[in-house]
């Protein structure tokens, strides 16, 4: 196994890092304070081709492989782009557009991917419901066939990008008795009668992403808007979620590299007891823990990415391991950074405060750490 990056990959990562640092990161603090999705940040991500990275050039994408997508996540996190903007980017690209690209018909791909890849349209994905989170397959949203249309009824919650989205990939059950086998994925456009979006939630972190409920009330969707075919929705949901779980670690890796650099600088500059705090073992150990996380996270993320590039199926065990690592250990690292900064780490002015709030989502969104541990132990005890 060779994890050496090519010169081209290194150049790409450095270029995205510089762009993120100079053009996007300066906008993040204000957007985070306002707690608003920033269309300016979105346009900047789009103008660098970052919103269409994995799609082929003929559909308006950049034709990037999975390793390159992860390099982009790492570079943006390292550059100080906030977790909310990266969450918005991930939900749009991996949960919405990738599902359409992987499972959609040629007509669906032609209609949606170019506009999603350029950022002209924003995408989201609706799986979670008020009564069905970890147990998403117990969803109650229904799709009833009527001629060449389906009538959707139900609601979804915690949907990233929903308040600004032009298109949603949504999961509904055509026959609740069939359980998983009835779950079907639909593409629904903004403005479709019967489809509406709730008020944005006020969140603890990832504030530059916007999140809300969505509602379907006798919402008529043409049968041609089904992704793949009726009853294939659960496989699509798992594929999107596993993809997200596997790659999620890359922005965490990036923001941890950024925090580590800030902490090392601060530990040299900050004096207490007439000496720089870097001389205290408590600080040294936290710096060491952060570096150990960065090294292990790098191996974990690029191992999954390169195996996917080599045509292997995503491995649910590895996806769950990576997700726990990002969510739990990544959050612990963000906490170390706050501790190294002391009182200043608690203040808005320092990015470590925002990273800490943003990192808390890692153990919840896209499947909680408890559920990931359940998957790991279930596979190990089979
Ligand atoms: C900011 C944000 C953005 C999100 N974006 C999206 C999105 O774009 N699209 C989307 O569909 N969803 C999205 N989600 C939803 C997210 O995936 C769910 O919140 C998550 O899957 C957990 O579901 P829940 O919140 O209903 O918690 P619950 O499932 O109710 O869990 C509550 C607690 O019980 C524990 N628990 C539940 N079952 C078990 C079990 N079997 N064993 C052990 N412990 C268990 C959980 O770990 C947790 O601690 C988002 C959530 C947030 C917070």
């Amino acid at each position: 196994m060779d994890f050496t990056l090519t010169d081209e990959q290194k150049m790409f990562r450095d270029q995205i890092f510089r762009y993120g640092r100079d053009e996007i990161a300066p906008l993040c603090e204000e957007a985070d304070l306002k707690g608003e999705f920033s269309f300016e940040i979105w346009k900047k991500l789009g103008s660098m081709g970052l919103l269409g990275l994995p799609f082929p050039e003929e559909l308006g994408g950049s034709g990037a492989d999975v390793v390159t997508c992860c390099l982009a996540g790492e570079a943006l996190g390292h550059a100080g782009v906030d977790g909310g903007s990266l969450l918005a980017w991930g939900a749009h690209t991996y949960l919405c557009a990738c599902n359409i690209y992987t499972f959609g018909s040629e007509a669906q791909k032609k209609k949606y991917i170019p506009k999603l890849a350029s950022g002209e349209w924003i995408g989201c994905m609706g799986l979670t419901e008020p009564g069905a989170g970890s147990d998403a397959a117990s969803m109650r949203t229904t799709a009833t066939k009527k001629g060449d249309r389906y009538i959707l009824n139900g609601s979804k919650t915690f949907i990233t990008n929903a308040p600004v989205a032009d298109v949603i990939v949504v999961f509904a059950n055509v026959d609740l008795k069939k359980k998983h086998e009835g779950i079907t994925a639909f593409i629904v456009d903004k403005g479709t009668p019967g489809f509406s979006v709730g008020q944005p939630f006020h969140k603890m972190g990832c504030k530059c992403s916007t999140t809300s409920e969505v509602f379907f009330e006798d919402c008529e969707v043409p049968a041609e808007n089904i992704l793949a075919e009726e009853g294939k929705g659960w496989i699509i949901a798992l594929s999107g979620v596993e993809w997200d779980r596997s790659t999620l670690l890359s922005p965490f890796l990036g923001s941890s590299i950024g925090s580590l650099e800030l902490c090392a600088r601060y530990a040299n500059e900050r004096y207490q007891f007439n000496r720089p705090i870097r001389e205290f073992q408590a600080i040294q150990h936290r710096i060491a823990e952060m570096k150990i996380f960065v090294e292990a996270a790098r191996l974990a993320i690029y191992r999954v990415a390169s195996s996917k590039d080599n045509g292997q199926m995503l491995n649910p065990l590895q996806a769950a391991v990576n997700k726990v690592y990002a969510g739990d250990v990544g959050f612990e690292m963000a906490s170390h950074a706050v501790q190294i900064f002391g009182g200043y780490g608690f203040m808005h002015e320092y990015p470590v405060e925002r990273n800490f709030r943003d990192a808390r989502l890692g153990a919840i969104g896209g499947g909680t750490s408890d559920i990931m541990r359940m998957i790991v132990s279930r596979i190990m005890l089979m």
Side-chain angles (χ1 to χ4, degrees):
M1 231 184 279
D2 182 5
F3 288 97
T4 317
L5 297 178
T6 63
D7 287 344
E8 204 184 335
Q9 286 169 328
K10 282 187 205 151
M11 261 168 53
F12 172 80
R13 185 186 58 190
D14 295 346
Q15 183 195 14
I16 300 300
F17 170 75
R18 283 194 302 274
Y19 182 77
R21 182 193 60 194
D22 300 339
E23 299 288 329
I24 306 180
L27 304 170
C28 297
E29 191 187 334
E30 196 189 333
D32 177 70
L33 269 174
K34 284 187 184 160
E36 278 177 9
F37 176 86
S38 162
F39 286 96
E40 203 181 346
I41 293 176
W42 192 255
K43 277 193 197 126
K44 299 231 176 223
L45 289 169
S47 68
M48 273 304 267
L50 291 165
L51 298 171
L53 269 182
F55 313 114
E57 287 174 20
E58 60 271 22
L59 289 174
S62 309
D65 58 15
V66 185
V67 167
T68 306
C69 292
C70 290
L71 286 171
E74 178 190 327
L76 291 169
H78 183 184
V81 176
D82 68 283
S85 299
L86 293 172
L87 173 65
W89 173 57
H92 164 91
T93 309
Y94 299 122
L95 297 180
C96 178
C98 272
N99 274 337
I100 297 178
Y101 178 66
T102 310
F103 297 99
S105 64
E106 286 310 308
Q108 287 169 339
K109 287 187 216 179
K110 276 199 189 122
K111 177 174 173 191
Y112 291 101
I113 298 297
K115 288 204 164 74
L116 290 168
S118 68
E120 181 185 341
W121 283 356
I122 300 176
C124 65
M125 187 278 290
L127 177 66
T128 306
E129 296 185 359
S134 299
D135 183 14
S138 69
M139 67 179 65
R140 307 306 295 173
T141 298
T142 53
T144 311
K145 194 158 190 202
K146 187 177 154 196
D148 61 352
R149 309 182 85 72
Y150 284 79
I151 316 296
L152 268 55
N153 276 294
S155 67
K156 300 282 170 181
T157 194
F158 302 143
I159 308 308
T160 302
N161 291 342
V164 292
D166 299 277
V167 51
I168 180 169
V169 168
V170 68
F171 297 87
N173 203 318
V174 293
D175 182 353
L176 291 172
K177 288 194 292 300
K178 285 189 179 168
K179 299 188 178 160
H180 299 73
E181 285 165 14
I183 295 175
T184 305
F186 295 87
I187 308 174
V188 181
D189 298 331
K190 176 179 160 181
T192 305
F195 170 48
S196 60
V197 173
Q199 285 301 311
F201 289 115
H202 295 287
K203 306 195 294 297
M204 173 201 289
C206 292
K207 286 169 175 270
C208 307
S209 68
T210 179
T211 316
S212 74
E213 289 181 281
V214 296
F215 306 98
F216 299 89
E217 283 177 82
D218 292 329
C219 174
E220 281 196 25
V221 180
E224 68 201 32
N225 282 28
I226 285 184
L227 267 184
E229 56 190 88
E230 201 184 282
K232 291 283 181 258
W234 188 241
I235 294 168
I236 296 174
L238 288 184
S239 148
V241 166
E242 249 166 43
W243 171 241
D244 189 50
R245 283 173 191 166
S246 305
T247 54
L248 176 91
L249 197 50
S250 65
F252 273 88
L253 167 63
S255 65
S256 297
I257 297 171
S259 289
L260 179 54
E261 288 170 358
L262 288 173
C263 288
R265 203 177 313 141
Y266 190 75
N268 278 314
E269 288 166 0
R270 175 74 177 170
Y271 275 69
Q272 287 296 289
F273 301 96
N274 295 321
R275 62 178 87 165
I277 60 168
R278 70 155 189 265
E279 292 185 13
F280 303 122
Q281 197 179 43
I283 300 293
Q284 293 163 0
H285 280 191
R286 288 197 175 92
I287 295 277
E289 290 298 330
M290 291 169 81
K291 180 62 176 164
I292 291 164
F293 172 77
V294 162
E295 290 305 314
R298 184 174 275 133
L299 289 179
I301 184 71
Y302 291 108
R303 175 181 151 195
V304 168
S306 64
S307 65
K308 179 114 172 46
D309 281 333
N310 289 329
Q312 288 173 27
M313 295 282 288
L314 278 180
N315 175 337
L317 175 70
Q318 196 58 46
V321 169
N322 279 13
K323 177 74 174 46
V324 174
Y325 203 60
D328 289 11
V329 191
F331 176 65
E332 211 182 305
M333 297 308 119
S335 179
H336 281 329
V338 170
Q339 196 66 26
I340 290 173
F341 271 75
Y344 295 106
F346 206 68
M347 302 297 145
H348 245 315
E349 285 86 331
Y350 293 86
V352 295
E353 183 266 349
R354 191 186 65 216
N355 284 348
F356 175 76
R357 284 185 285 109
D358 289 353
R360 188 63 186 85
L361 180 62
I364 301 171
T368 68
S369 292
D370 302 321
I371 296 296
M372 296 306 110
R373 286 192 171 84
M374 195 178 79
I375 295 172
V376 172
S377 60
R378 198 178 273 165
I379 294 171
M380 294 315 295
L381 298 173
M382 262 195 310

